[in-house]
Amino acid sequence: MNWSPHLDALLGSADSICVLTGAGISAESGVATFRGPDGLWAKLKPEELANFDAFMRNPELVWEWYSERKRIIHDVAPNAGHRALAEMESLVRDFTLVTQNIDNLHRRAGSAKVRELHGNIERSFCVSCGRFDNSATVGEDRKPPRCRQCGGLMRPDVVWFGEMLPQEEMEAAEDACRRCELFLSVGTSAVVYPAAGLPLLARASGAYIVEVNTERTDISSRVNETLPGGAGTVLPALVERMKELRKARS
Ligand code: BV8
Ligand code: ZN
């Protein structure tokens, strides 16, 4: 695995790093991506499932889809890519991990500074009164439980198409893009906005943009450097080099 001298220098010296991850970082844990050949969307259409109207039209179908995904997620473990990012967080003064994933694998790998732009499958809230009840999360039964407070429908705390992203998470992600020296876009096809706009915001703010992906994506022609390969291989190599350079510096 090799990379440019410029990236190597940043691995040794960057004090502010922002990382954006997508479904690709969880692929090596065995969690299906969305747009790959055997991706989640290949079988199902996002408009049929990952949107509020679809849920209100057929709560059981959407709830069961998330229950199925939750069961898959509970059967897998974080992989070397998740663990490398948890370690990178401890090496860099100002580190921000922004994820589009709802699978909670970054936290399970030990990452603390995680900004979840699209929510988290481990949380659920009531569509009527907004009350959170994480004991009523997907995976338990086949249809959405009722809110203990008001009897409304419980839904997964994930951001569906057409829904606003959590404002605090998005603002923190944008702030990190504006101040970082190095931005890594890892395992995302960069087609879903506004998350996909973050690498471009970081670039416009002067950061060096590196893409880690097994394939080319919508932003490949606009990043500074592409490291082709699996996140589970590339990220540990970057962190090993980071440790080597920073130990020598200290
Ligand atoms: C909003 C959560 C505003 C739920 C998800 C037309 C043009 C532009 C935008 C739009 C448009 N029409 C509509 C929009 C807006 C829309 C959008 O962007 N649509 C796209 C599809 C065109 N966005 C929204 O609706 C957002 N909200 O804009 O609201 C608004 C609201 C109200 C009023 C006014 C305005 C909400 C978007 C969030 C949707 N929720 N998921 C759930 O998970 O079920 S999206 C879903 O896609 C996931 O979150 C996922 O993370 C995200 C992005 O996908 P990726 O993570 O990138 O995964 P993907 O499979 O695509 O790619 C995997 C990559 O990994 C590939 O590149 C592959 O090569 C690579 N890979 C594979 N293996 C590996 C690997 N890389 C490294 N290592 C490996 N081993
Ligand atoms: Zn309620």
Side-chain angles (χ1 to χ4, degrees), residues 93-146:
R93 179 186 58 77
D94 174 20
F95 181 84
T96 305
L97 173 53
V98 181
T99 189
Q100 301 169 86
N101 300 340
I102 63 169
D103 60 26
N104 211 38
L105 288 176
H106 284 303
R107 284 219 171 79
R108 286 174 53 193
S111 289
K113 299 180 181 173
V114 187
R115 294 294 179 175
E116 294 171 324
L117 297 185
H118 293 165
N120 188 315
I121 202 167
E122 305 293 347
R123 296 191 300 264
S124 292
F125 65 90
C126 169
V127 296
S128 306
C129 72
R131 180 175 175 275
F132 275 82
D133 178 353
N134 297 337
S135 67
T137 59
V138 294
E140 273 56 43
D141 41 21
R142 303 193 72 77
K143 57 187 186 2
R146 289 283 168 175

Side-chain angles (χ1 to χ4, degrees), residues 17 21 31 50 55 59-60 71 94 98-99 103 113 119 157 171-172 194 214 218-219 228:
I17 295 180
T21 62
V31 182
F55 177 70
E60 288 78 3
R71 282 190 284 274
D94 174 20
V98 181
T99 189
D103 60 26
K113 299 180 181 173
D157 181 23
E171 283 173 1
T214 44
D218 272 21
I219 57 166

Side-chain angles (χ1 to χ4, degrees), residues 21-25 27-28 33-36 41 50 65-66 69 100-102 118 158-165 186-194 212-217 229-232:
T21 62
I25 195 166
E28 290 168 67
T33 62
F34 290 85
R35 293 167 186 83
W41 297 142
W65 183 50
Y66 281 95
R69 287 172 67 190
Q100 301 169 86
N101 300 340
I102 63 169
H118 293 165
V158 297
V159 179
W160 282 327
F161 286 102
E163 292 187 327
M164 299 299 280
L165 275 60
V186 180
T188 181
S189 59
V191 297
V192 174
Y193 284 81
V212 176
N213 201 307
T214 44
E215 298 176 13
R216 286 185 61 75
T217 71

Side-chain angles (χ1 to χ4, degrees), residues 7-30:
L7 174 54
D8 207 51
L10 283 169
L11 291 178
S13 66
D15 264 347
S16 176
I17 295 180
C18 182
V19 181
L20 171 68
T21 62
I25 195 166
S26 299
E28 290 168 67
S29 292

